[in-house]
Amino acid sequence: MNQTLINKAMEMRNNAHAPYSNYLVGAAVETESGEILGGCNVESSSYGLTCCAERVSLFRAIAEGYTSFKALAVATDNGGSPCGACRQVIWDLCKNIPVHICDKNGLVKTIFSSELLPHAFDDSQLT
Ligand code: THU
């Protein structure tokens, strides 16, 4: 387990833009080469346009040119679990990696993305 990754996810909560829910979420992804990129949730006044912290961290990493990932951490106040949309995107971009789920005091649990999204749909089904 990479404590720097977890610390980054916890730190990123400070950047969350969550004026509607007040639920601050931070995330961080570790690339195959050991770089760590953070993200936070960004809410919209048109609520459905909100983007979760996990996806922001992954999209940021992709935009920076990284394509291979080995772990992801997500931090909330109460150890909340990644939403369904993020589970799909984590699977699509990372396949089976450990996801560290943290509350405001640190780690709650580590679970693999294959457990978060069993029987996943993915590019292997696009023939
Ligand atoms: N949220 C995340 O950032 N990640 C999740 O996996 C669950 C939900 C955000 C979206 C919204 O800004 C707030 O938490 C409440 O749903």
Side-chain angles (χ1 to χ4, degrees), residues 17-18 21 23-25 40-43 50-54 74 76 81-83 86:
H17 178 73
S21 72
Y23 191 68
L24 310 180
V25 189
C40 56
N41 55 333
V42 182
E43 296 184 347
T50 292
C51 196
C52 294
E54 297 92 320
V74 55
T76 58
S81 200
C83 79
C86 288

Side-chain angles (χ1 to χ4, degrees), residues 17-73:
H17 178 73
Y20 308 106
S21 72
N22 291 311
Y23 191 68
L24 310 180
V25 189
V29 63
E30 183 180 4
T31 70
E32 204 54 56
S33 53
E35 309 292 322
I36 289 177
L37 293 105
C40 56
N41 55 333
V42 182
E43 296 184 347
S44 169
S45 59
S46 178
Y47 299 162
L49 302 184
T50 292
C51 196
C52 294
E54 297 92 320
R55 276 176 286 155
V56 170
S57 69
L58 283 167
F59 295 164
R60 179 182 186 179
I62 293 286
E64 293 289 336
Y66 299 101
T67 54
S68 189
F69 306 106
K70 57 183 182 196
L72 186 141

Side-chain angles (χ1 to χ4, degrees), residues 3-17:
Q3 192 60 47
T4 312
L5 180 68
I6 286 167
N7 291 345
K8 183 69 172 182
M10 292 177 75
E11 246 175 68
M12 288 306 301
R13 291 188 68 221
N14 297 321
N15 294 353
H17 178 73

Side-chain angles (χ1 to χ4, degrees), residues 64-122:
E64 293 289 336
Y66 299 101
T67 54
S68 189
F69 306 106
K70 57 183 182 196
L72 186 141
V74 55
T76 58
D77 183 73
N78 57 359
S81 200
C83 79
C86 288
R87 291 174 192 216
Q88 179 68 46
V89 172
I90 293 168
W91 183 261
D92 283 334
L93 295 178
C94 309
K95 292 294 186 286
N96 201 19
I97 57 160
V99 178
H100 306 299
I101 298 173
C102 314
D103 68 8
K104 62 172 177 284
N105 303 126
L107 187 62
V108 172
K109 69 169 163 181
T110 299
I111 185 166
F112 275 81
S113 41
S114 60
E115 300 171 85
L116 285 172
L117 191 67
H119 312 289
F121 176 83
D122 63 23

